Amino acid sequence: MMKRQVHYIAGLIATLLLAGCHPCVYEDLSDCPQGVDFGFYVQSPCAAEPSYPSEIRQARLFAFDEQGRLVREIPVPELKLSKDFLLRTDYYRVGKSDFIVWAGSDLSLLDFGSFTPGSTTKEQMIVSLKRQAESFAGLIPPIYIGRPDKGPLTQEDRSALGTFYDRVDIRLDQITNRLRITLAGLDPEHKYSVRVEDSNSKYHIDGTFAPDTRFSYLPEDLAMEGRTVTATIDVMRLAKGRHALLIVTDTTDGKVILRKNLVEELLISEDGDAKSRPYSLECDHLFDIRIDFKLDLDKGNYVAVTAIINKWNVVFRDVTLG
């Protein structure tokens, strides 16, 4: 019986030693590790359950103090999100800390600028899409921004507790959108260009819009077959009141045949049966847009007769274009 107790106590001590610092084993716990375990997930306002996209492999994680000053950037190795995944870090700072993360499959298209821990504030940190002066051409892998579910984390002096890791869960919200555009009924003898014009390439570190100039998103895969033009355009965050434009130009004669507000007149148009719209900007980020044209021979203008987005019919009040 005595041998069994000795073996039990020895096993318990070994377990505690392997698990880290513990007051039952160490008298001085001041050097025991402290930190934060971060969990990440995606869940739109329309989703019933969280998801863990495998495409999210990279992240830039920043910590800020009570005054909104940058404490430091927390290193993040390659991510493999799952329900059980936790990013263990050595972040420990007595007081309140806020965290902001940018994540995705490839963050190389973003410029995070320069920053100095201890002095740079949230308002001074700008994240920009790397674009040319007046355009961005190509596809953008999905990009996400996240903040702690429960707000800033308060860490107290826990040196007497031994090893201790706080838990912070962060919901990631996607800010990129893909537009798969089909334009039917055009002149097969002409050539066309398609672009989206906006001013949404710059953001404060928290994901809010920063001052920017207007530029054009250009497709990487513009094609024409018969009377139909197809193009895929990836854009950053879309919102009401920013006058994002979908512009189609007949480059053969230099005439703009379509100039529509992408958000208010197309994606979330209030004309027609808006209540039946099966998507929203908050919950959806892939939009199949089909616009059918006919040529008004009397006026020489193209007329958009129908528009369908994700199987929802858009109503045009003014259908004469040009």
Side-chain angles (χ1 to χ4, degrees):
M1 183 70 175
M2 181 63 69
K3 272 187 178 181
R4 188 177 302 170
Q5 289 179 339
V6 170
H7 288 160
Y8 172 77
I9 293 172
L12 177 61
I13 292 174
T15 300
L16 292 172
L17 287 171
L18 290 173
C21 297
H22 195 281
C24 294
V25 181
Y26 298 97
E27 291 185 4
D28 182 7
L29 303 175
S30 59
D31 291 331
C32 295
Q34 305 271 341
V36 178
D37 288 337
F38 291 92
F40 305 97
Y41 68 98
V42 174
Q43 186 172 3
S44 76
C46 304
E49 299 290 338
S51 63
Y52 307 90
S54 59
E55 67 189 14
I56 300 177
R57 300 187 298 272
Q58 299 179 3
R60 299 285 298 269
L61 177 59
F62 302 91
F64 298 87
D65 65 16
E66 297 88 340
Q67 284 72 46
R69 291 189 300 259
L70 178 67
V71 176
R72 66 182 173 99
E73 181 176 1
I74 301 171
V76 179
E78 183 174 356
L79 296 176
K80 293 183 179 179
L81 298 192
S82 70
K83 182 178 180 180
D84 301 318
F85 172 82
L86 288 176
L87 173 67
R88 173 150 289 190
T89 72
D90 63 355
Y91 185 84
Y92 175 67
R93 173 186 169 276
V94 175
K96 285 188 177 182
S97 298
D98 195 12
F99 305 96
I100 298 175
V101 63
W102 287 64
S105 62
D106 181 6
L107 299 182
S108 64
L109 290 178
L110 299 178
D111 182 359
F112 286 83
S114 60
F115 46 83
T116 304
S119 61
T120 304
T121 65
K122 290 179 183 177
E123 291 74 19
Q124 294 170 327
M125 292 185 69
I126 301 295
V127 181
S128 304
L129 177 67
K130 295 178 181 177
R131 63 175 174 89
Q132 301 298 320
E134 296 182 355
S135 66
F136 176 88
L139 302 180
I140 307 173
I143 296 171
Y144 300 79
I145 299 176
R147 309 241 352 223
D149 292 353
K150 297 181 179 180
L153 170 69
T154 298
Q155 289 178 301
E156 301 173 348
D157 183 357
R158 301 190 178 104
S159 57
L161 297 180
T163 299
F164 192 97
Y165 285 87
D166 290 283
R167 169 75 178 264
V168 173
D169 289 305
I170 295 180
R171 188 188 75 198
L172 302 172
D173 296 318
Q174 186 173 342
I175 65 166
T176 48
N177 302 275
R178 175 158 293 180
L179 312 175
R180 296 193 300 212
I181 301 168
T182 300
L183 308 172
L186 299 175
D187 188 336
E189 301 300 321
H190 284 209
K191 293 184 178 180
Y192 299 87
S193 67
V194 184
R195 63 189 175 97
V196 171
E197 184 181 287
D198 207 340
S199 57
N200 61 346
S201 69
K202 294 184 178 181
Y203 299 84
H204 297 289
I205 192 66
D206 64 359
T208 56
F209 292 107
D212 198 0
T213 56
R214 294 187 72 80
F215 70 101
S216 294
Y217 291 96
L218 306 177
E220 189 177 56
D221 60 348
L222 181 71
M224 185 166 188
E225 183 174 349
R227 301 173 62 86
T228 301
V229 170
T230 57
T232 301
I233 301 180
D234 286 354
V235 300
M236 297 290 281
R237 172 169 277 164
L238 296 171
K240 284 184 177 182
R242 297 188 58 82
H243 202 54
L245 296 173
L246 175 61
I247 301 172
V248 180
T249 302
D250 182 335
T251 57
T252 300
D253 60 16
K255 186 176 182 180
V256 174
I257 63 169
L258 177 69
R259 185 183 181 90
K260 285 283 186 181
N261 187 305
L262 175 62
V263 176
E264 280 93 337
E265 292 185 288
L266 291 173
L267 294 180
I268 54 172
S269 170
E270 294 300 324
D271 291 336
D273 188 11
K275 292 182 179 180
S276 68
R277 185 169 54 237
Y279 61 84
S280 69
L281 296 183
E282 295 77 22
C283 299
D284 300 273
H285 301 277
L286 174 61
F287 302 101
D288 288 311
I289 302 173
R290 177 187 173 93
I291 300 176
D292 287 271
F293 292 86
K294 72 175 182 179
L295 180 62
D296 186 327
L297 297 176
D298 293 332
K299 297 180 180 179
N301 289 335
Y302 282 89
V303 177
V305 291
T306 61
I308 301 173
I309 302 177
N310 290 7
K311 300 181 180 180
W312 178 68
N313 291 317
V314 180
V315 175
F316 288 140
R317 286 187 177 181
D318 179 8
V319 298
T320 302
L321 306 171

